[in-house]
Amino acid sequence: AGGKGVAAPTLMAQLHAMLRALLPARLPLDQLMARASRLFCESTLPMHYATMVCGRATRDGSVEICNAGHLPVFLSHASGVRMLGATGLPMGLFCEQTFLVERVRLTPGDGLLLVTDGVSEAESVDGEQFGLDRVANSLCDRGGVAASPLVAAYNSDLSKHAGGRRQDDATILCLRYQA
């Protein structure tokens, strides 16, 4: 959510509740995001917004992704890593906004990795950020690793990079497709 502090978790809980309330309507993903964003915009202060990624997957490996101003989603497959960028502005910036849907087809072993800015902006003792390129390269080097060990490896990489210092808002989510 926009900014840090006490308001961010409250805003995220509010947005989560809105999305849960809209899910039974079975709207197309772009419409779900637009409605949630409008509700969020109408019910928060003008300076409040949230970046987020929302997706829908089917058993055959088809995935739809809407990225509302969040960091890229990393798609890992046999031929390498591809970054799927934002398909819309952060939620709540404008009460009327549209979102595009990115569609990908996963094959067995492919994965999706999402990180928060606490990962990409984690600094070494010298002030060097971990960065998105390091996230992508590390994923490329570990392409076939299962989700749990991959997240553990990232946590280890992050800790080493930061000299053991705890990172603010460092969240890593990995999903692997198995037929």
Side-chain angles (χ1 to χ4, degrees):
K4 310 269 186 210
V6 178
T10 304
L11 291 172
M12 290 312 296
Q14 179 182 0
L15 184 54
H16 183 258
M18 287 175 190
L19 286 166
R20 299 277 302 181
L22 289 169
L23 284 177
R26 299 192 180 275
L27 297 168
L29 192 56
D30 58 339
Q31 292 177 29
L32 173 75
M33 294 288 284
R35 283 196 190 176
S37 184
R38 185 178 69 243
L39 290 169
F40 189 68
C41 177
E42 291 171 351
S43 63
T44 59
L45 296 172
M47 71 284 244
H48 290 153
Y49 65 91
T51 68
M52 67 172 279
V53 174
C54 187
R56 248 188 213 143
T58 60
R59 291 183 185 269
D60 70 354
S62 298
V63 180
E64 294 180 329
I65 298 170
C66 275
N67 181 338
H70 195 69
L71 294 175
V73 174
F74 296 87
L75 169 61
S76 169
H77 45 89
S79 62
V81 174
R82 186 173 129 211
M83 286 192 254
L84 308 174
T87 60
L89 295 171
M91 304 288 282
L93 275 184
F94 303 102
C95 291
E96 295 298 325
Q97 62 187 65
T98 59
F99 296 88
L100 300 177
V101 176
E102 176 110 21
R103 290 175 176 80
V104 295
R105 171 74 84 165
L106 303 179
T107 59
D110 288 354
L112 297 171
L113 181 81
L114 292 92
V115 300
T116 59
D117 59 2
V119 173
S120 63
E121 295 174 3
E123 290 187 358
S124 68
V125 293
D126 299 330
E128 178 189 3
Q129 290 191 346
F130 195 74
L132 294 177
D133 287 341
R134 189 172 277 133
V135 172
N137 291 337
S138 186
L139 182 58
C140 198
D141 293 344
R142 297 178 175 122
V145 176
S148 287
L150 182 63
V151 171
Y154 269 105
N155 282 327
S156 176
D157 290 351
L158 202 55
S159 180
K160 287 177 191 167
H161 177 78
R165 292 175 296 153
R166 188 179 186 298
Q167 299 303 306
D168 179 45
D169 186 32
T171 303
I172 302 165
L173 172 66
C174 181
L175 306 166
R176 285 267 183 226
Y177 176 64
Q178 298 174 344

